[in-house]
Amino acid sequence: MTAAPDRLEPVFDRAFAAIGQAREQFRPQLTPHEVGTIATVSTGIATVSGLPGVGFEELLAFPGEVFGIAFNLDADAIGVVLLGEYWQLHAGDLVERTGRVMDVAVGEGLLGRVIDPLGRPLDGQGPVRTDARLPIERPAAAIMDRAPVTVPLQTGIKVIDALIPIGRGQRELILGDRQTGMTAFAIDSILNQRGQDVLCVYCAIGQRASAIAKAVATLREQGALDYTVVVVTEGNDAPGLAYIAPYAATSIAEHFMERGRDVLIVYDDLTHHARAYRELSLLLRRPPGREAFPGDIFYIHSRLLERATHLSPERGGGSLTALPIIETEAENISAYIPTNLISITDGQVYLSPSLFELGVLPAVDVGKSVSRVGGKAQRAAYRAVAGDLKLAYAQFEELETFARFGARVDEPTRAIIAHGQRIRACLKQSELAPVAVPAQLAILLALTTGLFDTVDLERMTAAEQAVQAAAAQLPDELRERLTGAETLSGGDRQTLIDLAGRALTGFQAPTVPSVPGGAARAPDVPDTAARGKPTEASPP
């Protein structure tokens, strides 16, 4: 049944009247739209002509959803760092301004995800859902907005927590030659943050795809990926992505820090970051300096690591702890990039190839490692039991070098060497096996009170594991006191000593009789220069 024509006429009249009114109210607005063209394309960079109003580090859009950052603003051209595959770009293609700087998605939705520096997912779990974005380049917190570093960041690694403590908000450099366990050190530190209310960001810069897959698989198997964000650039990615990766990861971490959370970020490693920046700078015709690095190579790392801090209570009290990794060549820690980062950070952990070859893992060289925050970021219980441990270990290392030549030593020196060997044995630790605070305190107390001195070196691993197992059975009330900030009371100290003594029953060895004539032969000491082969003692 159709409506009569006279009934439809008012409807049409109202509709046309509304259309006419909307047309009269419409005022077209002209929006300036700058478009440039690609002049040349090279490895990871492009030269763009046009775009007279572009700003420094502004994000530019290229065909094929490729982005770039304006780096060189010359009078007649713009040098652009490309952030992606550039094989489909050609001279003459159009380039558009975006009007914004490079930013990255931040928020709780990133936890448990593997992304690239542009925020794109790499784990096949669908799009990343976040509600905020932050620029990757942000000014560091002002001095008045910072607070002292006083809360420890437990790594679960005995030699670090006891001798080279790291605090929340500190920047501790990890350096060493290739294949000395630097990544394993960082992964173990992330694993130990489970239940510590610390979020983690792992930034892999220019790593092999297989190495990244192994690290992500380890974090997932150990249940650490739930509180970790992984930012990845592979070795075959564009150098521009490797350059922006640590800045993007830091912005992700800062978002949590500014909300009062404690965050640990690992840069693995900044050697690749420096090389990527050197490559971009040379391609952009910037003048080279020492080792062909540009003059501002110090600044790109200092402005990155200065963002790691402990905020004051007025700013929420959050913290960002940075563990940058640097690769040395032939144990040369005085090279350009390592010395730059040593001067920027608050201490360094040096992993020695010689100790690694000897099987001392983690291969931390205590003599060359330091924490400039020191005991202020260490639990009082640790200071009570490990205060003299570093001095005793340093004395042992000096005497070890002397004793390698088979020289006769007196009985006190022999005791120092034997004690130092047991310190080294106790500080050894397997990968992916962080040690809890009560177990560490029990082991350190057993060391400082000499309970391990009568244990054969061959049985030290089993003896230490026995002490760990016994410490795991401590009452919950005592464990809470040990993991808290309180000092170690006399009763708790004696409880741990008694526990270690009972655990070591059956591991004791008969004492070694002294050599007639008032001198004793030094115990067999491995020669680190001879790849673990002990030197023979000279005849008496």
Side-chain angles (χ1 to χ4, degrees):
M1 182 177 181
T2 59
D6 54 348
R7 296 181 181 179
L8 292 176
E9 185 175 355
V11 176
F12 285 118
D13 290 342
R14 289 194 299 270
F16 286 127
I19 293 174
Q21 184 179 5
R23 184 189 62 186
E24 292 175 358
Q25 293 178 351
F26 175 72
R27 295 292 183 270
Q29 296 181 353
L30 296 179
T31 302
H33 189 63
E34 291 188 30
V35 177
T37 57
I38 298 177
T40 60
V41 180
S42 182
T43 305
I45 67 164
T47 303
V48 176
S49 60
L51 303 179
V54 71
F56 179 62
E57 291 191 348
E58 181 178 342
L59 197 65
L60 304 179
F62 289 80
E65 297 184 354
V66 177
F67 292 96
I69 300 177
F71 247 48
N72 280 8
L73 302 182
D74 299 329
D76 53 351
I78 302 169
V80 181
V81 173
L82 299 175
L83 307 176
E85 296 292 341
Y86 47 85
W87 56 268
Q88 78 275 18
L89 300 180
H90 303 90
D93 290 346
L94 297 182
V95 184
E96 300 180 3
R97 291 182 59 187
T98 62
R100 59 187 178 91
V101 297
M102 178 64 202
D103 55 15
V104 66
V106 297
E108 299 284 341
L110 291 177
L111 293 175
R113 302 302 302 270
V114 181
I115 62 173
D116 68 359
L118 300 177
R120 298 176 298 197
L122 301 176
D123 50 9
Q125 298 182 12
V128 177
R129 304 187 182 279
T130 59
D131 54 358
R133 300 185 71 87
L134 286 177
I136 64 170
E137 293 272 14
R138 306 180 69 208
I143 295 296
M144 300 307 295
D145 292 334
R146 304 186 182 212
V149 176
T150 56
V151 181
L153 180 90
Q154 294 296 131
T155 63
I157 302 173
K158 292 172 290 187
V159 64
I160 299 299
D161 294 339
L163 305 182
I164 316 161
I166 300 174
R168 298 187 182 184
Q170 187 175 343
R171 301 155 298 180
E172 187 78 7
L173 179 65
I174 305 171
L175 74 163
D177 285 11
R178 293 187 61 190
Q179 304 299 321
T180 52
M182 294 180 292
T183 299
F185 179 100
I187 294 296
D188 284 354
S189 300
I190 292 176
L191 296 182
N192 196 59
Q193 304 314 311
R194 181 193 301 175
Q196 305 291 330
D197 195 26
V198 177
L199 302 178
C200 302
V201 178
Y202 178 69
C203 180
I205 308 171
Q207 301 292 320
R208 300 189 313 272
S210 59
I212 297 172
K214 179 182 177 182
V216 172
T218 300
L219 294 174
R220 182 176 287 111
E221 291 169 1
Q222 300 292 328
L225 202 58
D226 297 337
Y227 54 85
T228 304
V229 182
V230 182
V231 182
V232 170
T233 58
E234 298 179 4
N236 58 350
D237 285 340
L241 287 176
Y243 167 70
I244 69 169
Y247 300 103
T250 305
S251 291
I252 293 172
E254 280 181 329
H255 172 79
F256 298 116
M257 176 186 69
E258 291 169 353
R259 279 153 181 77
R261 304 294 299 272
D262 293 317
V263 189
L264 169 65
I265 185 167
V266 175
Y267 305 107
D268 189 9
D269 61 48
L270 291 185
T271 305
H272 289 90
H273 182 245
R275 290 170 181 168
Y277 186 68
R278 175 172 62 182
E279 177 182 355
L280 294 172
S281 298
L282 293 177
L283 289 170
L284 290 171
R285 305 294 183 185
R286 293 188 174 183
R290 177 178 168 185
E291 297 180 17
F293 285 104
D296 59 342
I297 190 69
F298 180 90
Y299 175 60
I300 73 163
H301 286 155
S302 63
R303 76 171 186 257
L304 170 70
L305 294 172
E306 279 297 321
R307 295 163 68 178
T309 185
H310 179 207
L311 294 178
S312 62
E314 293 77 14
R315 288 285 305 273
S319 68
L320 176 56
T321 308
L323 294 181
I325 296 176
I326 275 292
E327 177 185 307
T328 58
E329 297 179 354
E331 305 183 48
N332 183 18
I333 64 175
S334 61
Y336 187 31
I337 302 301
T339 50
N340 276 354
L341 283 155
I342 287 173
S343 64
I344 294 169
T345 52
D346 306 314
Q348 70 272 353
V349 175
Y350 177 65
L351 302 182
S352 168
S354 302
L355 293 176
F356 188 86
E357 293 168 0
L358 285 174
V360 181
L361 302 176
V364 177
D365 189 327
V366 177
K368 295 181 180 178
S369 302
V370 65
S371 174
R372 298 191 182 99
V373 175
K376 294 184 180 298
Q378 194 175 34
R379 285 186 167 90
Y382 275 94
R383 294 197 296 271
V385 302
D388 299 331
L389 196 62
K390 191 169 186 178
L391 177 61
Y393 192 66
Q395 289 177 337
F396 155 69
E397 288 184 324
E398 290 292 330
L399 292 173
E400 180 189 34
T401 304
F402 174 73
R404 284 198 200 105
F405 301 103
R408 289 180 176 273
V409 294
D410 56 12
E411 196 62 35
T413 304
R414 181 183 177 88
I416 292 174
I417 294 176
H419 183 59
Q421 288 174 331
R422 281 147 184 83
I423 294 176
R424 174 179 286 174
C426 277
L427 294 182
K428 290 182 181 180
Q429 190 168 334
S430 301
E431 188 177 351
L432 308 180
V435 182
V437 171
Q440 290 194 35
L441 292 176
I443 293 170
L444 294 174
L445 263 176
L447 269 176
T448 55
T449 54
L451 294 179
F452 280 113
D453 289 352
T454 55
V455 178
D456 284 337
L457 281 176
E458 293 77 10
R459 306 187 67 188
M460 278 297 300
T461 301
E464 183 218 348
Q465 291 175 351
V467 175
Q468 284 193 42
Q473 307 301 322
L474 289 172
D476 292 340
E477 180 182 358
L478 178 57
R479 293 175 64 88
E480 290 178 1
R481 287 203 304 271
L482 294 176
T483 55
E486 296 83 2
T487 58
L488 190 65
S489 65
D492 292 345
R493 181 188 181 94
Q494 191 60 43
T495 299
L496 290 176
I497 293 175
D498 295 342
L499 176 143
R502 290 192 300 270
L504 293 175
T505 302
F507 290 96
Q508 311 297 329
T511 58
V512 180
S514 58
V515 177
R521 178 160 322 274
D524 289 336
V525 179
D527 187 357
T528 56
R531 296 181 178 271
K533 298 179 181 178
T535 57
E536 296 183 359
S538 59

mmCIF file of all heavy atoms in Angstrom, residues 19-45:
data_model
loop_
_atom_site.group_PDB
_atom_site.id
_atom_site.type_symbol
_atom_site.label_atom_id
_atom_site.label_comp_id
_atom_site.label_asym_id
_atom_site.label_seq_id
_atom_site.Cartn_x
_atom_site.Cartn_y
_atom_site.Cartn_z
ATOM 1 N N ILE A 19 18.721 20.222 4.026
ATOM 2 C CA ILE A 19 19.912 20.153 3.173
ATOM 3 C C ILE A 19 20.374 21.553 2.789
ATOM 4 O O ILE A 19 21.575 21.870 2.809
ATOM 5 C CB ILE A 19 19.613 19.296 1.924
ATOM 6 C CG1 ILE A 19 19.390 17.831 2.332
ATOM 7 C CG2 ILE A 19 20.757 19.403 0.922
ATOM 8 C CD1 ILE A 19 18.937 16.953 1.177
ATOM 9 N N GLY A 20 19.419 22.437 2.440
ATOM 10 C CA GLY A 20 19.791 23.798 2.082
ATOM 11 C C GLY A 20 20.407 24.551 3.247
ATOM 12 O O GLY A 20 21.375 25.304 3.078
ATOM 13 N N GLN A 21 19.860 24.346 4.446
ATOM 14 C CA GLN A 21 20.421 25.008 5.615
ATOM 15 C C GLN A 21 21.837 24.535 5.899
ATOM 16 O O GLN A 21 22.727 25.329 6.215
ATOM 17 C CB GLN A 21 19.517 24.748 6.825
ATOM 18 C CG GLN A 21 19.952 25.470 8.082
ATOM 19 C CD GLN A 21 19.007 25.200 9.251
ATOM 20 O OE1 GLN A 21 18.080 24.397 9.126
ATOM 21 N NE2 GLN A 21 19.240 25.872 10.367
ATOM 22 N N ALA A 22 22.076 23.228 5.800
ATOM 23 C CA ALA A 22 23.432 22.697 6.020
ATOM 24 C C ALA A 22 24.408 23.223 4.974
ATOM 25 O O ALA A 22 25.574 23.501 5.277
ATOM 26 C CB ALA A 22 23.391 21.169 5.996
ATOM 27 N N ARG A 23 23.956 23.363 3.726
ATOM 28 C CA ARG A 23 24.832 23.873 2.679
ATOM 29 C C ARG A 23 25.209 25.313 2.927
ATOM 30 O O ARG A 23 26.356 25.720 2.699
ATOM 31 C CB ARG A 23 24.127 23.731 1.332
ATOM 32 C CG ARG A 23 24.987 24.135 0.145
ATOM 33 C CD ARG A 23 24.153 24.184 -1.110
ATOM 34 N NE ARG A 23 23.097 25.210 -0.974
ATOM 35 C CZ ARG A 23 22.137 25.404 -1.869
ATOM 36 N NH1 ARG A 23 22.079 24.641 -2.941
ATOM 37 N NH2 ARG A 23 21.228 26.329 -1.682
ATOM 38 N N GLU A 24 24.283 26.112 3.432
ATOM 39 C CA GLU A 24 24.581 27.511 3.694
ATOM 40 C C GLU A 24 25.537 27.676 4.872
ATOM 41 O O GLU A 24 26.337 28.620 4.907
ATOM 42 C CB GLU A 24 23.276 28.279 3.963
ATOM 43 C CG GLU A 24 22.381 28.384 2.737
ATOM 44 C CD GLU A 24 21.053 29.035 3.054
ATOM 45 O OE1 GLU A 24 20.853 29.364 4.264
ATOM 46 O OE2 GLU A 24 20.225 29.219 2.149
ATOM 47 N N GLN A 25 25.450 26.769 5.864
ATOM 48 C CA GLN A 25 26.315 26.874 7.047
ATOM 49 C C GLN A 25 27.719 26.336 6.796
ATOM 50 O O GLN A 25 28.628 26.618 7.574
ATOM 51 C CB GLN A 25 25.686 26.125 8.226
ATOM 52 C CG GLN A 25 24.398 26.753 8.733
ATOM 53 C CD GLN A 25 23.774 25.949 9.863
ATOM 54 O OE1 GLN A 25 24.213 24.846 10.156
ATOM 55 N NE2 GLN A 25 22.741 26.515 10.485
ATOM 56 N N PHE A 26 27.913 25.552 5.764
ATOM 57 C CA PHE A 26 29.224 24.957 5.509
ATOM 58 C C PHE A 26 30.203 26.023 5.031
ATOM 59 O O PHE A 26 29.909 26.813 4.143
ATOM 60 C CB PHE A 26 29.106 23.865 4.444
ATOM 61 C CG PHE A 26 30.442 23.282 4.040
ATOM 62 C CD1 PHE A 26 31.155 22.442 4.888
ATOM 63 C CD2 PHE A 26 31.001 23.605 2.803
ATOM 64 C CE1 PHE A 26 32.375 21.927 4.508
ATOM 65 C CE2 PHE A 26 32.220 23.098 2.422
ATOM 66 C CZ PHE A 26 32.914 22.250 3.286
ATOM 67 N N ARG A 27 31.380 26.059 5.683
ATOM 68 C CA ARG A 27 32.434 26.973 5.296
ATOM 69 C C ARG A 27 33.694 26.144 5.028
ATOM 70 O O ARG A 27 34.283 25.595 5.966
ATOM 71 C CB ARG A 27 32.705 27.996 6.406
ATOM 72 C CG ARG A 27 31.547 28.944 6.692
ATOM 73 C CD ARG A 27 31.321 29.892 5.509
ATOM 74 N NE ARG A 27 30.269 30.849 5.791
ATOM 75 C CZ ARG A 27 28.984 30.631 5.513
ATOM 76 N NH1 ARG A 27 28.616 29.484 4.932
ATOM 77 N NH2 ARG A 27 28.080 31.547 5.790
ATOM 78 N N PRO A 28 34.086 26.028 3.811
ATOM 79 C CA PRO A 28 35.284 25.213 3.504
ATOM 80 C C PRO A 28 36.532 25.837 4.118
ATOM 81 O O PRO A 28 36.694 27.061 4.144
ATOM 82 C CB PRO A 28 35.345 25.224 1.980
ATOM 83 C CG PRO A 28 34.604 26.456 1.578
ATOM 84 C CD PRO A 28 33.511 26.637 2.593
ATOM 85 N N GLN A 29 37.404 24.970 4.671
ATOM 86 C CA GLN A 29 38.643 25.409 5.280
ATOM 87 C C GLN A 29 39.810 24.773 4.535
ATOM 88 O O GLN A 29 39.789 23.573 4.247
ATOM 89 C CB GLN A 29 38.712 25.005 6.765
ATOM 90 C CG GLN A 29 37.653 25.678 7.624
ATOM 91 C CD GLN A 29 37.767 25.263 9.081
ATOM 92 O OE1 GLN A 29 38.545 24.382 9.407
ATOM 93 N NE2 GLN A 29 36.991 25.905 9.940
ATOM 94 N N LEU A 30 40.791 25.573 4.260
ATOM 95 C CA LEU A 30 41.966 25.097 3.547
ATOM 96 C C LEU A 30 43.040 24.708 4.560
ATOM 97 O O LEU A 30 43.405 25.502 5.437
ATOM 98 C CB LEU A 30 42.495 26.183 2.610
ATOM 99 C CG LEU A 30 41.552 26.598 1.476
ATOM 100 C CD1 LEU A 30 42.204 27.696 0.647
ATOM 101 C CD2 LEU A 30 41.206 25.397 0.601
ATOM 102 N N THR A 31 43.508 23.490 4.473
ATOM 103 C CA THR A 31 44.561 22.997 5.358
ATOM 104 C C THR A 31 45.847 22.879 4.558
ATOM 105 O O THR A 31 45.877 22.190 3.530
ATOM 106 C CB THR A 31 44.191 21.622 5.937
ATOM 107 O OG1 THR A 31 42.948 21.731 6.636
ATOM 108 C CG2 THR A 31 45.266 21.130 6.889
ATOM 109 N N PRO A 32 46.893 23.553 5.005
ATOM 110 C CA PRO A 32 48.156 23.425 4.247
ATOM 111 C C PRO A 32 48.679 21.991 4.336
ATOM 112 O O PRO A 32 48.686 21.374 5.409
ATOM 113 C CB PRO A 32 49.085 24.428 4.943
ATOM 114 C CG PRO A 32 48.484 24.622 6.300
ATOM 115 C CD PRO A 32 47.010 24.455 6.137
ATOM 116 N N HIS A 33 49.136 21.501 3.228
ATOM 117 C CA HIS A 33 49.594 20.114 3.154
ATOM 118 C C HIS A 33 50.911 20.101 2.396
ATOM 119 O O HIS A 33 50.947 20.290 1.182
ATOM 120 C CB HIS A 33 48.545 19.267 2.429
ATOM 121 C CG HIS A 33 48.829 17.788 2.489
ATOM 122 N ND1 HIS A 33 48.854 17.074 3.662
ATOM 123 C CD2 HIS A 33 49.087 16.886 1.503
ATOM 124 C CE1 HIS A 33 49.119 15.802 3.413
ATOM 125 N NE2 HIS A 33 49.270 15.670 2.096
ATOM 126 N N GLU A 34 52.014 19.880 3.161
ATOM 127 C CA GLU A 34 53.331 19.902 2.536
ATOM 128 C C GLU A 34 53.678 18.510 2.015
ATOM 129 O O GLU A 34 53.547 17.514 2.733
ATOM 130 C CB GLU A 34 54.386 20.347 3.553
ATOM 131 C CG GLU A 34 54.257 21.808 3.964
ATOM 132 C CD GLU A 34 55.427 22.248 4.815
ATOM 133 O OE1 GLU A 34 56.531 21.690 4.630
ATOM 134 O OE2 GLU A 34 55.237 23.129 5.665
ATOM 135 N N VAL A 35 54.127 18.485 0.794
ATOM 136 C CA VAL A 35 54.524 17.223 0.163
ATOM 137 C C VAL A 35 55.894 17.435 -0.468
ATOM 138 O O VAL A 35 56.112 18.416 -1.196
ATOM 139 C CB VAL A 35 53.506 16.775 -0.905
ATOM 140 C CG1 VAL A 35 53.984 15.500 -1.577
ATOM 141 C CG2 VAL A 35 52.131 16.574 -0.290
ATOM 142 N N GLY A 36 56.804 16.522 -0.149
ATOM 143 C CA GLY A 36 58.125 16.563 -0.749
ATOM 144 C C GLY A 36 58.352 15.348 -1.631
ATOM 145 O O GLY A 36 57.464 14.493 -1.786
ATOM 146 N N THR A 37 59.525 15.257 -2.198
ATOM 147 C CA THR A 37 59.861 14.133 -3.069
ATOM 148 C C THR A 37 61.214 13.557 -2.656
ATOM 149 O O THR A 37 62.080 14.253 -2.120
ATOM 150 C CB THR A 37 59.935 14.574 -4.543
ATOM 151 O OG1 THR A 37 60.894 15.639 -4.667
ATOM 152 C CG2 THR A 37 58.583 15.034 -5.040
ATOM 153 N N ILE A 38 61.370 12.276 -2.896
ATOM 154 C CA ILE A 38 62.619 11.597 -2.592
ATOM 155 C C ILE A 38 63.633 11.950 -3.674
ATOM 156 O O ILE A 38 63.372 11.787 -4.870
ATOM 157 C CB ILE A 38 62.417 10.075 -2.526
ATOM 158 C CG1 ILE A 38 61.435 9.716 -1.402
ATOM 159 C CG2 ILE A 38 63.743 9.359 -2.311
ATOM 160 C CD1 ILE A 38 61.126 8.231 -1.318
ATOM 161 N N ALA A 39 64.795 12.429 -3.254
ATOM 162 C CA ALA A 39 65.870 12.726 -4.202
ATOM 163 C C ALA A 39 66.774 11.506 -4.388
ATOM 164 O O ALA A 39 67.059 11.111 -5.520
ATOM 165 C CB ALA A 39 66.682 13.929 -3.730
ATOM 166 N N THR A 40 67.211 10.906 -3.285
ATOM 167 C CA THR A 40 68.053 9.716 -3.354
ATOM 168 C C THR A 40 67.666 8.780 -2.219
ATOM 169 O O THR A 40 67.176 9.207 -1.169
ATOM 170 C CB THR A 40 69.547 10.058 -3.228
ATOM 171 O OG1 THR A 40 69.786 10.690 -1.970
ATOM 172 C CG2 THR A 40 69.999 10.967 -4.363
ATOM 173 N N VAL A 41 67.918 7.487 -2.427
ATOM 174 C CA VAL A 41 67.699 6.463 -1.410
ATOM 175 C C VAL A 41 68.978 5.656 -1.280
ATOM 176 O O VAL A 41 69.549 5.210 -2.286
ATOM 177 C CB VAL A 41 66.520 5.530 -1.766
ATOM 178 C CG1 VAL A 41 66.330 4.479 -0.681
ATOM 179 C CG2 VAL A 41 65.246 6.327 -1.944
ATOM 180 N N SER A 42 69.445 5.505 -0.041
ATOM 181 C CA SER A 42 70.641 4.721 0.217
ATOM 182 C C SER A 42 70.333 3.693 1.291
ATOM 183 O O SER A 42 69.173 3.468 1.643
ATOM 184 C CB SER A 42 71.791 5.644 0.638
ATOM 185 O OG SER A 42 72.973 4.898 0.837
ATOM 186 N N THR A 43 71.358 3.062 1.822
ATOM 187 C CA THR A 43 71.182 2.019 2.827
ATOM 188 C C THR A 43 70.699 2.628 4.129
ATOM 189 O O THR A 43 71.480 3.202 4.894
ATOM 190 C CB THR A 43 72.510 1.277 3.069
ATOM 191 O OG1 THR A 43 73.006 0.790 1.835
ATOM 192 C CG2 THR A 43 72.301 0.125 4.037
ATOM 193 N N GLY A 44 69.402 2.538 4.386
ATOM 194 C CA GLY A 44 68.844 3.006 5.645
ATOM 195 C C GLY A 44 68.554 4.482 5.725
ATOM 196 O O GLY A 44 68.023 4.943 6.735
ATOM 197 N N ILE A 45 68.880 5.264 4.677
ATOM 198 C CA ILE A 45 68.616 6.694 4.706
ATOM 199 C C ILE A 45 68.023 7.121 3.377
ATOM 200 O O ILE A 45 68.077 6.382 2.382
ATOM 201 C CB ILE A 45 69.892 7.520 4.989
ATOM 202 C CG1 ILE A 45 70.861 7.399 3.808
ATOM 203 C CG2 ILE A 45 70.545 7.115 6.295
ATOM 204 C CD1 ILE A 45 71.948 8.443 3.810
#
